[in-house]
Amino acid sequence: MKLRKVTAASATVFALALTATACGSGDDGDSGSSGDKKITVGIKFDQPGLGQKTPQGYEGFDVDVATYVAEKLGYSEDQIEWKESKSADRETMLQRGDVDFIAATYSITPKREEKVDFAGPYLLAHQDVLISADDDSIKKPEDLNGKNLCSVTGSTSAQNVNDKLGLKANLQNYPTYSACLGGLENGAIDALTTDDSILAGYAAQKQFEGKFKLAGFKMTNENYGIGVKKGSDLKAKINEALEAMVADGAWDQAVKDNFGPANYQNEPAPKIGDIKS
């Protein structure tokens, strides 16, 4: 990927400084060959634009961020072991040591911070809605009243629209975001709601280019962080890597590469420790 060609070179000096102390699943303190060294990273496998497993490998914004961070910690791309981290499993995976860190649309919340630590945030997302590109009837959140709004089964995003924002949308439960997009495409639903970054990732897929648009509603703040085990010294090292990614332009390039086709109006890179409530 374009980003990785850039970051592989830019990470070299910093990586050499951290190699001796970086934590990884294959680095147990012995002096074994560097080829045996591994770091295990949790990502989503099924979120286009963010974390997706494909026949060619792994791709998405979270993947690019995690790859950059791993390289700054002293691990080349082929020393990364990717592990699927479903939303309900993330805290347990970190607590058990199944992964060294997780970058998987992982919103920083007080409840989660009781169990794990977070580096970042590295992206500020917002709950938004995706609508047809030619739909001019939904210009503000109140326009969702009476509309068919897609809710992915088990998701709280659509429920938030009615419960937290006091709107009166007609919730339609679909099993997956892809199914919601199909309903949006054929007119069965009027809008799909979740984090704007996730919506942008789906809308940026080649088969959907030009068909959908983000409404631009900032209904909630979702501070994406990189999860690590409670008390891990990786937190400080990852924060340094994230700051470097922003400083050298790799963060902006990752946004463009993964969300560009959806015209995602992303927030600027957040400052480390700046959590928007």
Side-chain angles (χ1 to χ4, degrees):
M1 293 179 68
K2 187 182 297 181
L3 173 67
R4 292 170 191 168
K5 292 178 181 177
V6 174
T7 58
S10 63
T12 302
V13 175
F14 191 90
L16 289 173
L18 289 176
T19 298
T21 57
C23 170
S25 58
D27 185 5
D28 296 322
D30 61 32
S31 57
S33 68
S34 60
D36 295 334
K37 186 174 65 172
K38 294 285 185 182
I39 189 166
T40 306
V41 180
I43 58 170
K44 293 289 180 68
F45 278 13
D46 59 353
Q47 286 187 338
L50 286 151
Q52 186 176 29
K53 183 178 181 180
T54 74
Q56 293 73 41
Y58 302 89
E59 59 185 37
F61 181 74
D62 283 349
V63 174
D64 287 347
V65 170
T67 300
Y68 187 101
V69 167
E71 288 174 344
K72 288 291 191 181
L73 293 174
Y75 297 86
S76 61
E77 187 176 343
D78 61 4
Q79 291 174 322
I80 301 172
E81 179 184 349
W82 300 105
K83 185 165 288 191
E84 184 175 19
S85 299
K86 296 181 180 180
S87 295
D89 300 333
R90 290 175 298 199
E91 286 84 44
T92 301
M93 292 179 72
L94 288 168
Q95 291 171 331
R96 284 196 311 231
D98 297 342
V99 292
D100 292 292
F101 67 83
I102 290 177
T105 59
Y106 202 1
S107 295
I108 302 171
T109 67
K111 185 176 180 180
R112 289 170 177 165
E113 287 184 304
E114 294 175 0
K115 299 179 179 179
V116 300
D117 285 341
F118 285 97
Y122 64 90
L123 183 71
L124 176 60
H126 306 283
Q127 185 174 342
D128 198 358
V129 296
L130 193 71
I131 56 180
S132 295
D134 59 357
D135 188 345
D136 294 323
S137 68
I138 301 176
K139 297 180 179 180
K140 56 186 183 299
E142 291 76 16
D143 293 333
L144 294 169
N145 289 334
K147 299 286 189 179
N148 292 325
L149 181 66
C150 188
S151 170
V152 172
T153 303
S155 168
T156 59
S157 295
Q159 200 66 46
N160 284 344
V161 173
N162 290 347
D163 293 350
K164 291 188 176 181
L165 300 174
L167 303 177
K168 302 297 181 183
N170 299 318
L171 298 182
Q172 306 290 318
N173 290 310
Y174 281 60
T176 64
Y177 290 119
S178 295
C180 282
L181 285 169
L184 188 57
E185 192 171 18
N186 64 31
I189 63 169
D190 300 303
L192 160 61
T193 187
T194 188
D195 296 357
D196 52 8
S197 57
I198 297 174
L199 295 174
Y202 276 96
Q205 294 180 92
K206 288 185 178 180
Q207 67 267 36
F208 296 131
E209 280 188 40
K211 293 184 178 181
F212 307 119
K213 65 183 179 183
L214 290 161
F217 305 154
K218 298 180 179 181
M219 297 186 285
T220 65
N221 290 328
E222 304 296 335
N223 302 273
Y224 290 176
I226 292 181
V228 297
K229 190 173 184 177
K230 198 75 173 174
S232 172
D233 62 356
L234 274 184
K235 176 180 176 178
K237 297 174 185 177
I238 292 172
N239 279 335
E240 288 183 24
L242 293 174
E243 289 176 334
M245 187 176 188
V246 173
D248 69 15
W251 188 91
D252 285 326
Q253 187 62 51
V255 170
K256 181 179 178 181
D257 288 346
N258 293 291
F259 303 127
N263 295 316
Y264 177 41
Q265 301 300 309
N266 64 283
E267 297 277 5
K271 292 183 179 180
I272 299 302
D274 184 10
I275 310 299
K276 302 295 186 184
S277 59

